[in-house]
Each structure stands twice: as structure tokens, then as C-alpha cells.
């Protein structure tokens, strides 16, 4: 009897539950009790497909660089372009850094190219040359964002000496690169050839054109680095123009902020420690160097100078700086203007120049040394 009663109760509960479930499906939806909240809908899933290498090299449509058509249906061109695309797409950390840094620097580069009436595609040249880094230096001595060698940099208005190297200044170097590329385009009549000359030199390209009797870049037999150079730029353009197509899904929060700054101007009769300028701005020595990578060493030369500092850090600079400047003994200022290095066994001039963030030619000029001069352990060299 006891078991029959339990079984009857169980059937009643089951029937009640079944009835409520049926009403819930067919009847009006009831609001949840006030003490409970319905869970929020999950955010939509964003596709982050990373294409395979095969997908990345399936080209279609019209591909152009600086307005000039890339004949990728030609088997030789296709093979070379596929190589550059695969190498770039699969070096994913590097491409991520390109995209992040481009957000910082492309606004200025694009603005300058527009002012100079040059193709905007030339901005990708700075990616191929330096990955948008100021401190890059090639084995041939090309330096900075646009990788100028010293002679060419000076020819196009850049200051390069023991105190300053404007190849590392984005603003000065970009304007110089525009002047140089305009000259090369007027000389060769093609941006593909102009960029080739930028890479291998004007005389070398002129000689190749003369001997091979063609001005078509894709028909010229050029140094391997130059043959790859143009197609690297094509690959960079394809990826950076449509990064999501190649699996790079970056939001605004992932990009480096556009470079903004304030300017400070000062006039001194002696060299000044950069630490003093940093203190007057309320920033670190490293920040001064990061914002002004063209300044060599630890001191600012005497005379009139303009420096960049983080936006807003110029407020009350003059008052704070000259208060510090006037308390610094002139003997200390004079002493700070010259620094020396005693040569150790095994050291070379180029190694010493790198140690003090100066150029080999600047170190030679500072010490009145010829290119054939040999240094010896114990020699005292002026490095500042």
C-alpha cells in the first residue's frame, strides 16, 4: 500500500511537469522573476580564417604598382611573385608589425607623397627598405627609414655628420626620398625603373639598359636583389591593402597610434646634455632619443635647435630649461662637449663608431684621420 501511494504521487508530479512544459511551448512567454536576469546573447563569432599558401598565391584581376601593370600571367613573373607572397604571408609576426607601424607613419608619408604629386604606392618602399624602423642599417652603409647611403643622403639635402644623422628622421628622410624618386622618374620614365635605380644605383641600371637594349623592367636581367625588390613591393601592397584576405584581422585597438608631437626650440651658446632637456620636459632621456633618433650621442650641439617631444610636454619648457641651463657651470658645459676613447687591442674604427652611435666618416673627420689610417692600442680618439 505504501509503495502504491508513492507511485501515485510520482505520477501526479510527472503529469504536472508535462502540462507545464506543454504550456511553456504553446502559451505566451512569461518574464523571468525579477530577481533573475536573462543571460546576454553571445557576441557573433568573427571569422579569422588564415588562408593556405596555395590560396594566398591565387592571383586574379589587374595588379598594378605605381600605376604600372604587373604581368603575373607570364610564367617567370608569376614564379617570382609567388615566392615573395609566400615568404611574406607566412612571416606573420613581421607582417603584423608592418601593419601596426604603418598606422603610425603612413599618414605623414601619404601626405608628403600627395604634396609631391607622387604615387601613393611609393609608401610601400619604406616597408621593404626598413620595415619603418629608424635604426636599420645595411651592410653597404645605408641607414634609416629610407635607407640612404651617406653620399646620396647629403646630395638630397640630409645632414649627416658626427652630431646629426637625418637619415633617421622620418620627416627629413621622407622629403629627401621624394626628391630623389622624382629625379629618378624623370630620368627613367618609369616608376618600376626608378625604384630599381633607387635599389641598385643609377649608373648600374643605365648600363644594364644600354647593354640589354630594353627599358622594360620585366625583360631586364638585373642583380637578384633588384629583381626581387619590385616584386617584394607588389607582395607588400597586396597584403597591406587587404590584410583580412590573408588572415590578418586587426582592429583599431591593435594598431600603434599615429605619431603626434610638440616642438621645442632652444638657443644655446654651448653644447647641452640631453638629460637636461629631458628634465625640463618631465620625460626620460630615452624618450628624447626615441622622438629624435637623428641626434647622435648624449649631447645637443650649440646653436639653434628644434626637438620633438611627446604632445603637451612643451609647456613651460623654456622657463624650466633655462633655469637648469643657467645653474650648470660653464666648465661642465665645455667639458661635456668633448669625449675621448682609448683604443683597445682588437678594436677597429668602425666598431668604435658604432659604440658611440656615430658614423665611420664622422669619427675620421673628428680626428683628422685618412681612410688609410691605422689605429693602435693606446691611441686616444675624440668621439664627441
Amino acid at each position: 500500500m505504501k509503495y502504491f501511494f508513492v507511485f501515485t504521487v510520482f505520477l501526479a508530479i510527472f503529469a504536472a511537469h508535462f502540462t507545464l512544459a506543454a504550456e511553456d511551448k504553446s502559451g505566451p512567454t512569461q518574464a523571468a522573476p525579477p530577481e533573475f536576469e536573462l543571460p546576454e546573447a553571445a557576441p557573433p563569432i568573427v571569422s579569422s580564417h588564415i588562408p593556405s599558401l596555395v590560396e594566398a598565391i591565387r592571383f586574379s584581376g589587374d595588379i598594378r604598382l605605381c600605376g604600372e601593370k604587373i604581368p603575373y600571367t607570364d610564367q617567370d613573373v608569376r614564379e617570382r611573385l609567388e615566392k615573395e607572397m609566400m615568404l611574406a604571408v607566412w612571416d606573420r609576426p613581421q607582417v603584423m608589425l608592418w601593419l601596426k607601424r604603418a598606422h603610425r607613419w603612413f599618414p605623414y608619408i601619404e601626405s608628403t607623397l600627395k604634396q609631391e604629386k607622387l604615387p601613393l604606392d611609393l609608401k610601400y618602399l619604406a616597408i621593404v627598405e626598413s620595415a619603418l624602423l629608424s635604426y636599420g642599417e645595411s651592410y653597404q652603409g645605408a641607414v634609416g627609414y629610407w635607407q640612404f647611403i651617406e653620399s646620396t643622403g647629403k646630395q638630397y639635402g640630409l645632414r649627416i655628420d658626427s652630431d646629426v644623422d637625418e637619415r633617421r628622421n622620418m620627416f627629413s628622410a621622407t622629403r629627401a626620398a621624394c626628391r630623389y624618386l622624382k629625379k629618378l622618374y624623370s630620368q627613367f620614365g618609369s616608376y618600376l625603373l626608378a625604384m630599381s635605380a633607387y635599389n641598385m644605383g643609377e649608373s648600374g641600371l643605365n648600363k644594364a639598359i644600354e647593354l640589354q637594349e630594353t627599358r622594360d623592367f620585366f625583360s631586364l636581367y638585373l642583380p637578384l636583389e633588384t629583381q626581387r625588390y619590385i616584386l617584394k613591393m607588389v607582395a607588400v601592397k597586396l597584403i597591406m591593402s587587404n590584410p583580412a584576405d590573408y588572415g590578418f584581422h586587426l582592429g583599431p585597438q591593435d594598431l600603434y597610434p599615429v605619431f603626434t608631437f610638440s616642438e621645442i626650440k632652444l638657443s644655446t651658446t654651448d653644447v647641452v646634455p640631453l638629460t637636461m632637456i629631458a628634465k625640463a620636459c618631465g620625460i626620460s632621456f630615452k624618450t628624447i632619443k626615441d622622438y629624435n633618433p637623428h641626434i647622435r650621442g648624449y649631447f645637443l650641439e650649440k646653436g639653434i635647435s628644434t626637438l620633438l617631444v611627446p604632445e603637451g610636454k612643451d609647456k613651460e619648457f623654456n622657463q624650466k630649461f633655462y633655469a637648469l641651463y643657467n645653474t650648470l657651470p660653464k666648465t661642465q658645459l665645455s667639458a661635456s662637449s668633448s669625449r675621448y676613447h682609448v683604443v683597445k687591442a682588437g678594436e677597429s674604427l668602425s666598431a668604435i663608431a658604432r659604440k658611440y652611435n656615430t658614423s665611420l666618416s664622422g669619427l675620421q673627420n673628428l680626428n683628422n684621420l685618412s681612410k688609410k689610417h691605422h689605429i693602435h692600442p693606446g691611441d686616444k680618439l675624440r668621439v664627441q
Side-chain angles (χ1 to χ4, degrees):
M1 188 69 180
K2 181 174 71 171
Y3 295 112
F4 177 78
F5 176 77
V6 171
F7 181 70
T8 304
V9 171
F10 175 79
L11 286 176
I13 294 173
F14 178 79
H17 175 75
F18 182 83
T19 303
L20 287 172
E23 289 177 352
D24 183 61
K25 289 181 181 179
S26 60
T29 303
Q30 295 184 351
E35 64 269 26
F36 296 100
E37 292 185 3
L38 293 172
E40 294 183 4
I45 298 174
V46 178
S47 172
S48 57
H49 171 66
I50 298 177
S52 67
L53 288 178
V54 172
E55 291 175 282
I57 57 174
R58 286 176 178 158
F59 309 118
S60 62
D62 199 24
I63 299 178
R64 292 178 179 270
L65 183 66
C66 295
E68 299 183 39
K69 191 171 182 178
I70 307 301
Y72 65 87
T73 54
D74 177 272
Q75 188 59 37
D76 174 63
V77 176
R78 177 181 172 179
E79 288 185 24
R80 290 156 54 196
L81 180 55
E82 285 182 350
K83 173 184 176 180
E84 301 307 332
M85 283 295 293
M86 287 189 285
L87 289 174
V89 166
W90 226 242
D91 191 357
R92 303 191 68 77
Q94 181 64 271
V95 175
M96 293 277 283
L97 290 170
W98 290 347
L99 293 165
K100 287 172 172 286
R101 293 178 193 138
H103 190 259
R104 171 180 290 155
W105 291 119
F106 272 8
Y108 171 73
I109 295 174
E110 289 174 348
S111 173
T112 306
L113 290 170
K114 287 177 182 177
Q115 290 172 13
E116 297 294 335
K117 296 181 172 56
L118 287 167
L120 293 184
D121 282 355
L122 290 174
K123 65 189 175 187
Y124 300 116
L125 189 147
I127 294 283
V128 173
E129 287 287 357
S130 69
L132 292 173
L133 294 172
S134 66
Y135 52 79
E137 183 169 356
S138 76
Y139 68 93
Q140 294 177 326
V143 169
Y145 293 104
W146 295 88
Q147 290 289 284
F148 278 102
I149 61 172
E150 185 172 339
S151 58
T152 307
K154 288 180 175 178
Q155 183 180 349
Y156 287 90
L158 294 178
R159 180 181 168 187
I160 305 169
D161 55 37
S162 59
D163 294 310
V164 170
D165 188 345
E166 289 188 324
R167 293 175 292 181
R168 301 185 191 277
N169 181 300
M170 170 58 82
F171 306 101
S172 301
T174 300
R175 291 191 292 270
C178 286
R179 289 192 290 271
Y180 187 27
L181 286 163
K182 288 177 81 170
K183 186 260 184 185
L184 292 173
Y185 178 72
S186 67
Q187 180 178 348
F188 293 100
S190 157
Y191 282 108
L192 299 187
L193 293 179
M195 289 183 285
S196 299
Y198 192 99
N199 175 257
M200 65 179 287
E202 303 159 54
S203 60
L205 182 58
N206 269 323
K207 186 175 181 180
I209 289 172
E210 181 182 349
L211 291 175
Q212 298 176 42
E213 299 181 354
T214 180
R215 301 181 70 84
D216 172 36
F217 169 78
F218 295 101
S219 298
L220 281 166
Y221 182 79
L222 300 173
L224 181 59
E225 180 185 334
T226 306
Q227 291 187 53
R228 294 188 61 189
Y229 188 76
I230 298 299
L231 295 176
K232 279 183 182 180
M233 281 193 64
V234 175
V236 170
K237 177 184 177 179
L238 290 173
I239 296 167
M240 296 189 71
S241 297
N242 298 286
D245 290 350
Y246 299 94
F248 298 98
H249 302 271
L250 280 72
Q253 73 279 7
D254 300 316
L255 305 173
Y256 298 148
V258 175
F259 185 73
T260 58
F261 58 88
S262 295
E263 288 186 345
I264 57 173
K265 296 184 179 181
L266 62 162
S267 176
T268 64
T269 56
D270 293 281
V271 296
V272 178
L274 288 176
T275 50
M276 181 184 293
I277 298 170
K279 287 177 183 177
C281 292
I283 57 179
S284 67
F285 171 84
K286 180 181 183 300
T287 301
I288 283 285
K289 293 290 283 187
D290 287 344
Y291 272 69
N292 302 273
H294 57 286
I295 297 177
R296 289 174 153 167
Y298 287 80
F299 300 91
L300 184 68
E301 62 182 338
K302 63 182 179 181
I304 299 173
S305 301
T306 300
L307 298 180
L308 307 184
V309 295
E311 199 167 17
K313 292 297 183 179
D314 59 327
K315 295 179 180 178
E316 301 180 358
F317 168 77
N318 285 336
Q319 178 182 348
K320 294 177 181 177
F321 171 75
Y322 287 107
L324 291 168
Y325 181 72
N326 291 331
T327 62
L328 192 62
K330 295 301 177 183
T331 53
Q332 184 174 342
L333 286 170
S334 299
S336 67
S337 64
S338 297
R339 300 174 65 207
Y340 295 88
H341 174 86
V342 177
V343 179
K344 300 179 181 63
E347 286 188 321
S348 65
L349 279 174
S350 57
I352 295 170
R354 285 194 298 273
K355 180 177 180 179
Y356 292 96
N357 194 27
T358 188
S359 65
L360 175 58
S361 60
L363 185 62
Q364 290 169 329
N365 292 337
L366 201 59
N367 292 275
N368 297 316
L369 302 178
S370 68
K371 292 183 178 180
K372 297 182 179 180
H373 185 88
H374 295 286
I375 57 173
H376 304 89
D379 288 350
K380 189 176 182 181
L381 298 176
R382 183 180 172 187
V383 294
Q384 175 68 41

Short mmCIF file of all heavy atoms in Angstrom, two decimals, residues 123-151:
data_model
loop_
_atom_site.label_atom_id
_atom_site.label_comp_id
_atom_site.label_asym_id
_atom_site.label_seq_id
_atom_site.Cartn_x
_atom_site.Cartn_y
_atom_site.Cartn_z
N LYS A 123 54.79 54.48 -50.75
CA LYS A 123 54.90 54.31 -49.30
C LYS A 123 55.38 52.91 -48.95
O LYS A 123 56.02 52.70 -47.91
CB LYS A 123 53.55 54.58 -48.63
CG LYS A 123 52.44 53.59 -49.00
CD LYS A 123 51.10 54.05 -48.48
CE LYS A 123 49.98 53.11 -48.95
NZ LYS A 123 48.65 53.63 -48.59
N TYR A 124 55.09 51.93 -49.82
CA TYR A 124 55.50 50.55 -49.54
C TYR A 124 57.01 50.38 -49.67
O TYR A 124 57.57 49.40 -49.17
CB TYR A 124 54.76 49.58 -50.46
CG TYR A 124 53.26 49.65 -50.30
CD1 TYR A 124 52.45 50.07 -51.36
CD2 TYR A 124 52.65 49.32 -49.10
CE1 TYR A 124 51.07 50.15 -51.22
CE2 TYR A 124 51.27 49.41 -48.94
CZ TYR A 124 50.49 49.82 -50.01
OH TYR A 124 49.12 49.90 -49.86
N LEU A 125 57.66 51.32 -50.34
CA LEU A 125 59.12 51.25 -50.46
C LEU A 125 59.77 51.33 -49.08
O LEU A 125 60.76 50.65 -48.80
CB LEU A 125 59.61 52.37 -51.38
CG LEU A 125 61.08 52.34 -51.80
CD1 LEU A 125 61.22 52.92 -53.20
CD2 LEU A 125 61.95 53.14 -50.85
N ALA A 126 59.19 52.16 -48.20
CA ALA A 126 59.76 52.29 -46.85
C ALA A 126 59.57 51.01 -46.04
O ALA A 126 60.37 50.72 -45.14
CB ALA A 126 59.11 53.47 -46.12
N ILE A 127 58.53 50.23 -46.36
CA ILE A 127 58.35 48.93 -45.70
C ILE A 127 59.45 47.97 -46.15
O ILE A 127 60.11 47.31 -45.33
CB ILE A 127 56.98 48.33 -46.04
CG1 ILE A 127 55.84 49.19 -45.47
CG2 ILE A 127 56.88 46.89 -45.55
CD1 ILE A 127 55.60 49.02 -44.00
N VAL A 128 59.67 47.89 -47.45
CA VAL A 128 60.68 46.97 -47.99
C VAL A 128 62.08 47.39 -47.55
O VAL A 128 62.92 46.54 -47.23
CB VAL A 128 60.59 46.93 -49.53
CG1 VAL A 128 61.74 46.12 -50.12
CG2 VAL A 128 59.26 46.32 -49.96
N GLU A 129 62.32 48.68 -47.49
CA GLU A 129 63.67 49.17 -47.14
C GLU A 129 64.00 48.96 -45.67
O GLU A 129 65.09 48.49 -45.33
CB GLU A 129 63.79 50.65 -47.49
CG GLU A 129 63.90 50.95 -48.97
CD GLU A 129 65.27 50.56 -49.55
OE1 GLU A 129 66.15 50.13 -48.80
OE2 GLU A 129 65.43 50.69 -50.77
N SER A 130 63.09 49.34 -44.77
CA SER A 130 63.46 49.38 -43.35
C SER A 130 62.42 48.80 -42.41
O SER A 130 62.64 48.81 -41.19
CB SER A 130 63.71 50.83 -42.93
OG SER A 130 62.50 51.56 -42.94
N ALA A 131 61.28 48.32 -42.92
CA ALA A 131 60.16 47.90 -42.07
C ALA A 131 59.71 49.04 -41.16
O ALA A 131 59.21 48.83 -40.06
CB ALA A 131 60.53 46.67 -41.25
N LEU A 132 59.93 50.28 -41.62
CA LEU A 132 59.55 51.51 -40.90
C LEU A 132 60.27 51.62 -39.55
O LEU A 132 59.70 52.03 -38.54
CB LEU A 132 58.03 51.58 -40.71
CG LEU A 132 57.21 51.79 -41.98
CD1 LEU A 132 55.73 51.68 -41.69
CD2 LEU A 132 57.54 53.13 -42.63
N LEU A 133 61.57 51.31 -39.57
CA LEU A 133 62.41 51.45 -38.38
C LEU A 133 63.51 52.47 -38.65
O LEU A 133 64.13 52.45 -39.71
CB LEU A 133 63.02 50.11 -37.99
CG LEU A 133 62.04 49.03 -37.53
CD1 LEU A 133 62.75 47.70 -37.37
CD2 LEU A 133 61.38 49.44 -36.21
N SER A 134 63.77 53.31 -37.67
CA SER A 134 64.77 54.37 -37.86
C SER A 134 66.20 53.85 -37.78
O SER A 134 67.11 54.42 -38.38
CB SER A 134 64.59 55.46 -36.80
OG SER A 134 64.87 54.94 -35.51
N TYR A 135 66.41 52.76 -37.04
CA TYR A 135 67.78 52.36 -36.74
C TYR A 135 68.34 51.32 -37.72
O TYR A 135 69.47 50.85 -37.55
CB TYR A 135 67.88 51.81 -35.32
CG TYR A 135 66.89 50.72 -34.99
CD1 TYR A 135 67.08 49.41 -35.41
CD2 TYR A 135 65.75 51.00 -34.24
CE1 TYR A 135 66.17 48.41 -35.11
CE2 TYR A 135 64.82 50.01 -33.93
CZ TYR A 135 65.04 48.72 -34.36
OH TYR A 135 64.13 47.73 -34.06
N GLY A 136 67.57 50.96 -38.74
CA GLY A 136 68.07 49.97 -39.69
C GLY A 136 69.33 50.45 -40.40
O GLY A 136 69.46 51.62 -40.75
N GLU A 137 70.26 49.53 -40.62
CA GLU A 137 71.49 49.85 -41.35
C GLU A 137 71.92 48.62 -42.14
O GLU A 137 72.01 47.52 -41.60
CB GLU A 137 72.60 50.28 -40.39
CG GLU A 137 73.88 50.69 -41.09
CD GLU A 137 74.88 51.36 -40.18
OE1 GLU A 137 74.56 51.57 -38.98
OE2 GLU A 137 76.00 51.67 -40.64
N SER A 138 72.17 48.81 -43.44
CA SER A 138 72.55 47.70 -44.30
C SER A 138 74.06 47.49 -44.26
O SER A 138 74.81 48.34 -43.77
CB SER A 138 72.11 47.98 -45.74
OG SER A 138 72.97 48.93 -46.35
N TYR A 139 74.49 46.37 -44.80
CA TYR A 139 75.92 46.07 -44.84
C TYR A 139 76.67 47.04 -45.75
O TYR A 139 77.90 47.18 -45.67
CB TYR A 139 76.16 44.63 -45.27
CG TYR A 139 75.80 44.33 -46.71
CD1 TYR A 139 76.75 44.42 -47.73
CD2 TYR A 139 74.50 43.98 -47.07
CE1 TYR A 139 76.42 44.16 -49.05
CE2 TYR A 139 74.16 43.73 -48.39
CZ TYR A 139 75.12 43.81 -49.37
OH TYR A 139 74.79 43.56 -50.68
N GLN A 140 75.93 47.74 -46.62
CA GLN A 140 76.55 48.73 -47.51
C GLN A 140 76.55 50.13 -46.92
O GLN A 140 76.98 51.08 -47.56
CB GLN A 140 75.82 48.75 -48.85
CG GLN A 140 75.97 47.45 -49.64
CD GLN A 140 75.17 47.45 -50.93
OE1 GLN A 140 74.08 48.03 -50.98
NE2 GLN A 140 75.70 46.82 -51.96
N GLY A 141 76.05 50.26 -45.68
CA GLY A 141 76.06 51.56 -45.01
C GLY A 141 74.83 52.41 -45.25
O GLY A 141 74.82 53.59 -44.90
N ALA A 142 73.77 51.82 -45.82
CA ALA A 142 72.51 52.55 -45.98
C ALA A 142 71.80 52.58 -44.63
O ALA A 142 71.73 51.57 -43.94
CB ALA A 142 71.64 51.89 -47.04
N VAL A 143 71.25 53.74 -44.29
CA VAL A 143 70.76 53.96 -42.93
C VAL A 143 69.36 54.57 -42.95
O VAL A 143 69.01 55.33 -43.85
CB VAL A 143 71.72 54.90 -42.17
CG1 VAL A 143 71.13 55.38 -40.85
CG2 VAL A 143 73.05 54.20 -41.91
N GLY A 144 68.57 54.24 -41.94
CA GLY A 144 67.32 54.94 -41.68
C GLY A 144 66.10 54.39 -42.38
O GLY A 144 66.13 53.34 -43.01
N TYR A 145 65.00 55.14 -42.25
CA TYR A 145 63.71 54.71 -42.78
C TYR A 145 63.75 54.43 -44.28
O TYR A 145 63.13 53.47 -44.76
CB TYR A 145 62.65 55.79 -42.53
CG TYR A 145 62.31 55.99 -41.07
CD1 TYR A 145 62.80 57.10 -40.36
CD2 TYR A 145 61.50 55.09 -40.39
CE1 TYR A 145 62.47 57.29 -39.03
CE2 TYR A 145 61.17 55.28 -39.05
CZ TYR A 145 61.67 56.39 -38.38
OH TYR A 145 61.36 56.58 -37.06
N TRP A 146 64.47 55.26 -45.04
CA TRP A 146 64.50 55.12 -46.49
C TRP A 146 65.85 54.61 -46.98
O TRP A 146 66.10 54.59 -48.19
CB TRP A 146 64.16 56.46 -47.15
CG TRP A 146 62.75 56.90 -46.88
CD1 TRP A 146 62.32 57.64 -45.82
CD2 TRP A 146 61.58 56.60 -47.66
NE1 TRP A 146 60.96 57.84 -45.89
CE2 TRP A 146 60.48 57.22 -47.02
CE3 TRP A 146 61.36 55.90 -48.86
CZ2 TRP A 146 59.18 57.14 -47.51
CZ3 TRP A 146 60.07 55.83 -49.34
CH2 TRP A 146 59.00 56.43 -48.68
N GLN A 147 66.72 54.22 -46.06
CA GLN A 147 67.98 53.54 -46.37
C GLN A 147 68.84 54.31 -47.38
O GLN A 147 69.20 53.81 -48.45
CB GLN A 147 67.70 52.13 -46.86
CG GLN A 147 67.19 51.19 -45.78
CD GLN A 147 68.24 50.82 -44.75
OE1 GLN A 147 69.14 50.01 -45.00
NE2 GLN A 147 68.18 51.43 -43.58
N PHE A 148 69.20 55.52 -47.02
CA PHE A 148 70.12 56.32 -47.83
C PHE A 148 71.56 55.96 -47.47
O PHE A 148 71.90 55.84 -46.29
CB PHE A 148 69.93 57.81 -47.55
CG PHE A 148 68.79 58.44 -48.29
CD1 PHE A 148 67.59 58.71 -47.66
CD2 PHE A 148 68.93 58.81 -49.63
CE1 PHE A 148 66.54 59.32 -48.34
CE2 PHE A 148 67.90 59.42 -50.31
CZ PHE A 148 66.70 59.67 -49.67
N ILE A 149 72.41 55.82 -48.48
CA ILE A 149 73.84 55.83 -48.19
C ILE A 149 74.24 57.29 -47.96
O ILE A 149 73.52 58.22 -48.35
CB ILE A 149 74.67 55.18 -49.33
CG1 ILE A 149 74.48 55.95 -50.65
CG2 ILE A 149 74.31 53.72 -49.49
CD1 ILE A 149 75.43 55.47 -51.75
N GLU A 150 75.37 57.49 -47.34
CA GLU A 150 75.74 58.84 -46.91
C GLU A 150 75.82 59.84 -48.07
O GLU A 150 75.27 60.94 -47.99
CB GLU A 150 77.08 58.81 -46.17
CG GLU A 150 77.47 60.14 -45.58
CD GLU A 150 78.69 60.05 -44.68
OE1 GLU A 150 79.00 58.95 -44.19
OE2 GLU A 150 79.33 61.09 -44.46
N SER A 151 76.47 59.46 -49.16
CA SER A 151 76.67 60.39 -50.26
C SER A 151 75.33 60.81 -50.88
O SER A 151 75.11 62.00 -51.17
CB SER A 151 77.58 59.77 -51.33
OG SER A 151 77.03 58.55 -51.82
#
